[in-house]
C-alpha cells in the first residue's frame, strides 16, 4: 500500500470531507445504538431535536458551544505551529481561578474596565501556564504532549486545594466552591432570562481575530511556517523558538478565556466541575475544523449540539448519554482519515 | 514513627511493588511501541478499556485469567486501530493517540452504563489473592514485597524479562529495534516495517490493557470512572526516564511507585498541616521533573514518530 500526493483539492471537496467523516461516524456509532436495543434513526432524530429542535435547545447548544470555541481556537492555533497543547483543560481552569480572584470584589472598577482587565489577566495566566511546557520543549527537548497532559492533573489538584482553602466560599455550606463574582464582573445574558451570555459574542470575535492573525499577519505566517517545516523556517531566518513562545501565549490565553467565560457568563463561581472535558473536546473541535479559526465556530456548535442533544435523548431513549463522547471521539478519527484522503491517493500495491 | 522509619517497614515495600505492577505492564507496552518507532498516546484510554474488560469478564462469570486474556485482546484491538491509522496511513501519532484515548475511554463508559444501568455503587468481584512463595516470602523487609504478591505482579516481572530477552536476544527483537532506528535497513532485509510496527503496537497495547486490568482485578476489586487517573501519561514519562530499556524502565517504575507509597504515608504523618492535594500532585510533578532531568541525554529511537513509506527516503 502506498500514499501518493494529490493536487490541492477544490473548496467543494474540502467541505465534502468533513461531511463524509460525520456520515461515517453516524454509521459506526449506530452499531452501538443497535447494541443498546434502540433504533439508530429515532435516536439520531432525538439527538438532533434535542440539539436544535426548539429555541431552548438551540440556545442551550450555543451556550455549550461557547467554551468549546475558545478551547478549539486554542488547539487550532497551537497545532498549526505543531505545538501539541493537550493542556487546554488546565489553562481553562487557571482562567477560571483568575476570574474569581479578581472578580469577587478585589478590584473596585466599573464593569467596562473590570471585565477587560479580568480577561487580559486570565489570558496572561493561561498563556504563562503553556509557556512552561513550550520552554521545556525548546530548551530541553521535553515532549510537550506529556508535560501538558500531566499539568492538567496538577492544576486540577491545585484548584481543588484553592477551593478548600483560600478561595473557599465561607457561605458555601462546606462545598468546595468559590464565592460568586460581583455583578460588575459578570458578562450579561444576551436574552433576558436565558442562559446564553455575551461570552458567545466574545468567542465569535476571538475566532475572527485569530483568523486575521493566522491569515493576515507576519506572526500567523511564521506560525504556519514553523508548523509546516521547522528546519526550513529556521533556514529562512524565522526565529522558531520565539514563534513557539508566542504561539504558547496565544493558545494558552484562548483556552483561559473559556474558563473566564464559563465563570463570568454562566456559572458565576468556580467549582471543580467547571469543565466536563472542554479542553479535550477542543482537540476534536479544532481537527473537525481542519484548524481553521472560523471553521472552529461551526464545529464547536456541532460538537456542542451532539452533547446537548444526547443529554436530551438519553432522558427519553434508553441509550447512555456517553454515546455523545463516543461520537465525538469517533469523528476525530474519521476526520483525520478524511483529511488524509483530500491530500493523498491510497494505492494498493 | 518518623518519616525515615517508613522506609524500613515491610508494608511500605509491599505497597510500592503493588503500585508499581500496573505501571510495569503499561510501561513495557509503551516501550515496545516506541522501540518500533510509534508513540502510543492511546495508552491512557487503552488502560481504561483493559481495566473494564478484565473486570467485567470476571463479573459476568469468567475466571480471573480469562479476564486478563480478554483485557489483553481488547487492548490489542485498540492497538490495531491505532496502528492502522498511524503506520500504513502515516497519520499524526499525536492526534491519533489522543483520539484512541478519547474513543477507548468513552466506549468503556458507554458500555459500563449500558450493562450496569441501575448501579450506584460499583459492584465487586473476587480479585487475585496474594500467593506467598514458601521460604522466600519470609525474608525480612523485602521478602513480603517481592514474594507475597498476587500472580499478576509476578507476571509483571516475568513480562520485563521476556520483553528484554525478545528485544535483545531474538531476530524479532532486532527487527523491532531496527524499525525504530533505521526502517529502511529492515525493509532491505526483506522484512515488512509496516508488519513489525503494527505487531509491536498491538502487543504493546495488549500489555497496557493488562496494566489497567491489574487495577480492577488485583489492586482493587471494582471498576470506577477515571480510575486510571493519568497513570498512562506517567508511563510515557517512565519510558523516557528508562531510556527505552526494559531493565531501567522497571527500576524507574519501582522508584516512582516507592515514592508514591512514601508520599501517602508522609501525608498521614503530616497530620493535615500541608493540604493533601500537594501530596497528590507529587507523582505528576515528579514525572515532569524526571523528564527534564533525563531530557538532555535522552537518545530517542531515531525513527520515533517518523512514518515510514516503502520506497521513500
Amino acid at each position: 500500500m502506498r500514499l501518493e500526493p494529490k493536487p490541492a483539492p477544490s473548496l467543494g471537496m474540502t467541505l465534502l470531507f468533513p461531511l463524509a467523516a460525520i456520515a461515517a461516524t453516524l454509521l459506526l456509532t449506530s452499531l452501538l445504538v443497535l447494541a443498546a436495543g434502540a433504533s439508530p434513526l429515532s435516536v439520531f432524530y432525538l439527538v438532533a431535536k434535542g440539539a436544535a429542535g426548539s429555541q431552548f435547545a438551540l440556545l442551550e447548544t450555543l451556550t455549550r458551544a461557547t467554551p468549546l470555541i475558545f478551547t478549539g481556537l486554542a488547539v487550532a492555533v497551537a497545532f498549526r505551529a505543531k505545538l501539541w497543547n493537550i493542556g487546554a483543560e488546565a489553562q481553562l481552569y487557571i482562567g477560571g481561578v483568575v476570574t474569581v480572584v479578581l472578580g469577587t470584589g478585589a478590584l473596585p472598577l466599573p464593569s467596562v474596565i473590570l471585565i477587560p482587565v479580568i480577561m487580559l489577566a486570565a489570558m496572561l495566566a493561561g498563556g504563562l501556564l503553556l509557556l512552561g511546557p513550550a520552554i521545556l520543549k525548546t530548551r530541553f527537548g521535553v515532549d510537550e504532549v506529556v508535560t501538558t497532559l500531566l499539568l492538567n492533573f496538577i492544576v486540577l489538584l491545585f484548584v481543588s486545594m484553592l477551593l478548600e482553602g483560600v478561595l473557599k466560599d465561607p457561605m458555601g455550606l462546606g462545598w468546595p466552591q468559590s464565592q460568586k463574582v460581583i455583578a460588575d464582573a459578570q458578562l450579561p445574558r444576551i436574552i433576558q432570562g436565558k442562559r446564553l451570555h455575551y461570552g458567545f459574542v466574545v468567542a465569535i470575535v476571538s475566532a475572527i481575530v485569530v483568523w486575521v492573525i493566522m491569515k493576515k499577519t507576519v506572526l500567523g505566517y511564521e506560525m504556519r511556517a514553523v508548523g509546516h517545516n521547522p528546519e526550513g523556517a529556521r533556514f529562512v531566518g524565522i526565529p522558531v523558538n520565539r514563534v513557539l513562545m508566542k504561539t504558547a501565549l496565544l493558545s494558552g490565553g484562548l483556552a483561559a478565556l473559556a474558563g473566564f467565560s464559563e465563570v463570568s457568563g454562566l456559572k458565576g463561581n468556580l467549582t471543580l466541575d467547571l469543565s466536563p472535558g472542554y479542553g479535550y473536546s477542543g482537540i476534536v473541535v479544532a481537527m473537525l475544523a481542519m484548524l481553521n479559526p472560523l471553521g472552529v465556530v461551526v464545529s464547536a456548535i456541532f460538537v456542542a449540539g451532539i452533547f446537548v442533544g444526547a443529554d436530551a435523548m438519553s432522558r427519553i431513549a434508553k441509550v447512555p448519554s456517553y454515546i455523545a463522547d463516543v461520537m465525538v471521539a469517533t469523528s476525530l478519527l474519521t476526520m483525520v482519515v478524511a483529511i488524509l484522503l483530500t491530500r493523498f491517493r491510497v494505492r494498493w500495491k | 514513627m518518623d518519616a525515615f522509619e517508613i522506609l524500613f517497614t515491610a508494608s511500605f515495600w509491599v505497597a510500592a511493588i503493588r503500585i508499581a505492577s500496573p505501571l510495569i505492564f503499561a510501561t513495557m507496552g509503551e516501550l515496545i511501541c516506541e522501540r518500533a518507532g510509534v508513540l502510543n498516546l492511546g495508552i491512557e484510554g487503552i488502560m481504561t478499556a483493559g481495566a473494564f474488560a478484565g473486570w467485567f469478564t470476571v463479573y459476568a462469570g469468567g475466571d480471573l485469567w480469562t479476564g486478563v486474556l480478554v483485557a489483553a485482546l481488547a487492548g490489542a484491538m485498540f492497538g490495531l486501530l491505532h496502528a492502522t491509522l498511524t503506520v500504513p496511513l502515516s497519520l499524526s501519532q499525536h492526534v491519533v493517540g489522543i483520539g484512541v484515548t478519547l474513543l477507548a475511554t468513552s466506549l468503556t463508559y458507554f458500555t459500563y452504563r449500558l450493562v450496569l444501568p441501575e448501579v450506584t455503587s460499583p459492584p465487586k468481584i473476587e480479585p487475585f489473592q496474594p500467593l506467598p512463595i514458601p521460604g522466600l516470602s519470609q525474608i525480612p523487609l523485602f521478602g513480603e514485597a517481592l514474594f507475597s504478591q498476587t500472580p499478576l505482579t509476578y507476571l509483571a516481572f516475568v513480562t520485563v524479562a521476556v520483553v528484554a530477552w525478545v528485544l535483545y536476544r531474538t531476530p524479532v527483537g532486532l527487527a523491532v529495534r531496527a524499525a525504530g532506528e533505521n526502517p529502511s535497513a529492515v525493509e532491505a532485509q526483506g522484512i515488512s516495517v509496516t508488519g513489525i510496527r503494527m505487531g509491536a503496537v498491538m502487543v504493546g497495547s495488549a500489555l497496557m490493557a493488562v496494566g489497567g486490568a491489574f487495577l480492577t482485578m488485583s489492586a482493587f476489586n471494582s471498576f470506577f470512572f477515571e480510575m486510571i487517573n493519568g497513570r498512562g501519561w506517567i508511563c510515557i514519562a517512565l519510558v523516557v526516564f528508562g531510556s527505552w530499556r526494559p531493565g531501567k524502565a522497571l527500576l524507574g517504575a519501582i522508584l516512582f511507585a516507592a515514592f508514591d507509597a512514601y508520599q501517602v504515608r508522609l501525608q498521614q504523618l503530616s497530620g493535615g498541616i500541608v493540604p493533601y492535594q500537594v501530596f497528590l500532585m507529587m507523582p505528576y510533578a515528579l514525572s515532569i521533573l524526571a523528564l527534564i532531568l533525563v531530557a538532555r541525554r535522552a537518545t530517542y529511537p531515531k525513527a520515533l514518530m517518523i512514518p515510514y513509506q516503502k520506497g521513500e527516503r
Side-chain angles (χ1 to χ4, degrees), chain A residues 65-79 88 210 251 254-255 258 278-287 289 291-293 295-297 299-300:
Chain A
T66 304
L68 290 174
I69 295 175
F70 286 120
T71 54
L73 288 173
V75 173
V77 163
F79 279 24
V210 170
S251 170
L254 285 164
Y278 290 138
Y280 301 101
S281 309
I283 299 168
V284 185
V285 168
M287 290 310 294
L291 308 186
N292 180 315
V296 161
V297 176
S299 66

Side-chain angles (χ1 to χ4, degrees), chain B residues 241-261:
Chain B
F241 185 73
S243 50
W244 291 269
R245 290 168 173 277
K248 275 190 175 176
L250 169 71
L251 223 62
I254 294 175
L255 202 70
F256 178 88
F259 190 86
D260 202 12

Side-chain angles (χ1 to χ4, degrees), chain B residues 33 36-38 83 86-87 93 176 178-181 183 192-202 303-309:
Chain B
C33 298
V38 182
T86 53
V87 181
Q93 296 177 9
V176 169
E181 294 285 344
S192 158
V193 174
T194 307
I196 289 287
R197 284 187 169 178
M198 289 187 72
V201 172
M202 286 178 72
L304 181 62
M305 287 193 274
I306 299 174
Y308 179 79
Q309 288 289 325

Side-chain angles (χ1 to χ4, degrees), chain B residues 16-28 47 152-153 156 207-208 210-215 219 231 235 253:
Chain B
I17 296 296
R18 187 180 59 233
I19 294 169
S21 302
L23 302 177
I24 294 171
F25 279 117
T27 305
M28 289 304 127
M47 287 179 80
L152 223 42
T153 295
L207 284 177
M208 295 168 191
V210 174
F214 181 92
L215 291 172
R231 283 184 178 84
C235 289

